[in-house]
Amino acid sequence: MKPPFHAEHIGSFVRPQRLIEAARSHKAGKLDAAGFKAVQDDAIREIVAFQESIGLPSVTDGEFRRRSWSAGFIDAVEGFGLRDGTLGFKNESGVMGVASSPYAKTRLKRKHRIVADDYRFLKSVVKRGVPKVTIAAPDVMHWFLGPKAFDSSVYADREAFFEDLKNIYRQEIAELAAEGCTYLQLDDTALPCNCDPSARKDVVARGENPDELTRRYAVLFNQSIAKKPKDMSIAIHLCRGNLKGAWMAEGGYDPVADALFNQLNADVYCLEYDTERAGNFSPLRFVPKGKRVILGLVSTKTPVLEKKADLIARIKEAAKHVPLEQLGLSPQCGFSSGGGAGQTVTQDDTRRKLDLVLDVSREVWGSA
């Protein structure tokens, strides 16, 4: 098996209660590092077996060693602090609060390996399927704060900041390659948020050009993965924020589509498409031959199960803009982007939704 696949999932799964309790005990000093790791290892073995039991072609560790989807990167890199950005999470009731974003308060450097050790363990327990590792994309460390993403006393300008970011990713990817990783996914909330009309106005107000940022982020992405081995497939996942059913932005992919598909060197594009907030499929007309687009039509924001016929109809609609063989199906995001309690889906909901993804994939493309 080798990516790209027609059936995908994004990476995170709902943490079992014993893992949540172990994390709390470890934070409180009641459980040592070895004891906490043992609980994580056991939970990862279970979530791997779960993925294998339903036949997923790619298998992750559920992101069970992280506080949240981006925390694995932030916690492993020295120099980050947090500042309030301009975007907050929203739900049907309104804005829930402004989200904090990382900024460089000192020079950035890896304290330890970011996901290479996680991948080593994952690979050791996967019996079928391709082990996939996920990591936050580099532009996530800049877009939400823009000029305030680094202290000017630390980095003279954006390019100096990007240079250190690029090198951190290159170091990590080299170590992933040495561990045998063949499938890496970079999770990007920056580019899809850069599609939001209101957010783009905020970018202009802080003195930046949103279209220039899109082009520069594509270059940063390419520079970060430039030295990967040829047999390592690269996926990018685009999401407008996902926290226990809430989101951060809205707007179709039109403002970034050309650069995203034709300048950014990913093999697989996992795109949020579960609500009207993501726009229509017309931006897919920019997708060139040889690239796979995974339609995130199944929602992880709600336990309500989508209808098979509706999913197939939407896939056919997307196929008017890009050949059917270049498409695939997945949930729009992970099942637990943020750890802890209060998730909107259960493990049973997760199974039903992933079974549906696989069922539709087999009917439409003949395989996962």
Side-chain angles (χ1 to χ4, degrees):
M1 299 176 69
K2 183 180 178 181
F5 306 113
H6 288 297
E8 264 294 356
H9 65 109
I10 303 307
S12 66
F13 288 93
V14 176
R15 277 75 165 170
Q17 187 59 35
R18 72 180 187 284
L19 180 58
I20 295 172
E21 292 171 357
R24 291 170 178 164
S25 295
H26 178 59
K27 186 176 181 179
K30 298 177 182 179
L31 180 66
D32 64 15
F36 185 32
K37 184 178 182 299
V39 176
Q40 290 175 320
D41 289 352
D42 186 52
I44 289 168
R45 290 187 186 96
E46 283 191 4
I47 200 63
V48 166
F50 166 78
Q51 292 168 79
E52 292 176 335
S53 72
I54 61 177
L56 287 173
S58 66
V59 178
T60 71
D61 65 1
E63 301 180 3
F64 281 177
R65 300 193 196 276
R66 308 179 197 174
R67 293 181 291 109
S68 67
W69 69 277
S70 61
F73 184 89
I74 296 167
D75 290 350
V77 175
E78 181 181 309
F80 279 123
L82 290 175
R83 285 175 172 158
D84 284 345
T86 56
L87 282 183
F89 279 98
K90 313 170 189 176
N91 59 21
E92 303 296 346
S93 302
V95 177
M96 299 166 61
V98 175
S100 295
S101 298
Y103 78 101
K105 60 181 181 179
T106 61
R107 284 286 298 269
L108 301 182
K109 62 179 181 180
R110 288 192 313 163
K111 293 185 287 189
H112 51 74
R113 305 207 307 176
I114 302 166
V115 290
D117 289 337
D118 299 352
Y119 177 81
R120 176 187 290 174
F121 180 80
L122 174 66
K123 184 181 178 184
S124 75
V125 297
V126 170
K127 297 181 177 65
R128 51 178 293 191
V130 176
K132 178 173 77 170
V133 67
T134 65
I135 188 171
D139 55 355
V140 172
M141 308 304 152
H142 178 266
W143 187 86
F144 293 92
L145 294 173
K148 293 184 178 180
F150 53 88
D151 278 349
S152 58
S153 61
V154 176
Y155 290 106
D157 54 29
R158 185 184 72 181
E159 293 308 306
F161 174 58
F162 282 180
E163 181 69 14
D164 275 1
L165 268 181
K166 174 201 75 176
N167 289 333
I168 288 169
Y169 280 87
R170 285 189 178 183
Q171 291 162 11
E172 187 67 21
I173 290 172
E175 296 195 22
L176 281 168
E179 294 291 346
C181 178
T182 60
Y183 199 7
L184 171 63
Q185 175 183 296
L186 287 93
D187 295 321
D188 194 332
T189 52
L191 284 175
C193 285
N194 204 33
C195 297
D196 187 301
S198 296
R200 288 170 67 85
K201 290 179 182 178
D202 289 340
V203 169
V204 173
R206 72 192 190 196
E208 294 181 301
N209 181 324
D211 295 325
E212 186 277 333
L213 281 183
T214 295
R215 294 189 295 269
R216 184 62 185 89
Y217 289 163
V219 172
L220 176 61
F221 185 100
N222 295 344
Q223 291 173 329
S224 298
I225 67 166
K227 296 189 176 181
K228 76 171 185 71
K230 290 183 179 181
D231 67 346
M232 181 185 288
S233 295
I234 300 291
I236 183 171
H237 164 233
L238 273 68
C239 172
R240 290 155 184 77
N242 182 42
L243 180 64
K244 302 174 183 178
W247 64 91
M248 297 180 71
E250 56 190 71
Y253 295 98
D254 304 79
V256 304
D258 192 12
L260 174 66
F261 297 126
N262 293 300
Q263 296 176 28
L264 189 146
N265 297 331
D267 305 299
V268 180
Y269 294 79
C270 299
L271 304 182
E272 174 188 353
Y273 260 124
D274 63 320
T275 71
E276 293 181 356
R277 288 189 297 275
N280 59 39
F281 295 126
S282 64
L284 299 183
R285 69 188 184 276
F286 289 102
V287 178
K289 292 181 179 180
K291 294 194 173 188
R292 178 69 52 87
V293 172
I294 306 298
L295 303 172
L297 300 174
V298 175
S299 181
T300 64
K301 301 185 186 84
T302 171
V304 176
L305 188 65
E306 289 76 6
K307 295 179 180 178
K308 183 177 178 180
D310 291 344
L311 295 178
I312 293 174
R314 293 202 69 195
I315 292 168
K316 290 180 178 179
E317 182 67 25
K320 295 177 182 177
H321 304 279
V322 63
L324 181 65
E325 189 56 30
Q326 287 181 247
L327 296 174
L329 176 66
S330 76
Q332 106 286 349
C333 196
F335 288 93
S336 181
S337 300
Q343 303 297 330
T344 56
V345 294
T346 65
Q347 189 71 356
D348 184 58
D349 298 328
T350 298
R351 176 181 286 276
R352 289 186 298 114
K353 285 181 177 269
L354 290 175
D355 279 341
L356 178 61
V357 167
L358 289 164
D359 188 24
V360 171
S361 177
R362 294 183 186 110
E363 180 163 331
V364 174
W365 294 286
S367 70

